[in-house]
Amino acid sequence: MRVELRARRITINDGLRAHAERRLRFALGRFGPCIRRVCLRLDDVNGPRGGIDKSCRIVVGLAQGGEVIVEDADGDLRALLDRSADRAGRAVERRLDRLRESAAHARRPGVAA
C-alpha cells in the first residue's frame, strides 16, 4: 500500500508523518491487497487565525477501480488524523463488502448479469 502525504500551509515534521502513516496502515492494512494507493491531504484553512481550521482529505484508490473519499475538519491535527483514518477504514470496508455482494449476486444461477 503506497501512502502519499501532501500538506498546504501545514508543516509536516517527521513525527506527524510517522503518526499519519501508522494510523493509516492500522486502519487500512487489512485491505492491503485491495488498495492501490492512499493520498492524505492536510490543509490549514484559516492560517494563523486558529479555530476549527485544519482539514483532512483521504482518497483511497481501490485495485478493483473506484475511490473512497473521506473529508473532515478539526482544530487538533492528531485527533483529526485519527478520526479520518478510522472513518476511511470503515468506508473502505463497506465499499468492498458491497463489491463482494454484487459479485456473488451476479454469480448466482438464474440471475441475469
Side-chain angles (χ1 to χ4, degrees):
M1 177 174 59
R2 207 178 63 187
V3 177
E4 180 182 337
L5 180 60
R6 297 180 184 178
R8 283 182 38 180
R9 297 182 289 258
I10 293 177
T11 302
I12 302 294
N13 58 28
D14 291 339
L16 185 61
R17 179 179 302 277
H19 179 76
E21 288 183 4
R22 185 174 52 251
R23 289 298 296 156
L24 286 169
R25 290 189 192 285
F26 180 77
L28 300 172
R30 63 189 169 135
F31 308 115
C34 300
I35 295 176
R36 190 176 62 237
R37 67 178 176 81
V38 178
C39 183
L40 169 65
R41 294 181 181 140
L42 300 172
D43 190 10
D44 188 352
V45 179
N46 291 336
R49 291 183 294 206
I52 300 177
D53 63 342
K54 292 170 183 62
S55 67
C56 176
R57 179 181 171 132
I58 299 174
V59 180
V60 180
L62 300 176
Q64 298 171 340
E67 294 179 332
V68 173
I69 300 172
V70 173
E71 296 179 312
D72 205 350
D74 199 325
D76 181 7
L77 194 54
R78 288 188 184 257
L80 175 61
L81 284 169
D82 293 347
R83 188 173 58 241
S84 298
D86 290 341
R87 288 182 57 212
R90 288 192 307 271
V92 167
E93 182 176 26
R94 279 193 311 271
R95 173 70 64 88
L96 293 175
D97 285 345
R98 283 188 206 125
L99 289 171
R100 280 187 214 108
E101 286 173 9
S102 65
H105 180 72
R107 285 191 303 264
R108 288 188 193 141
V111 176

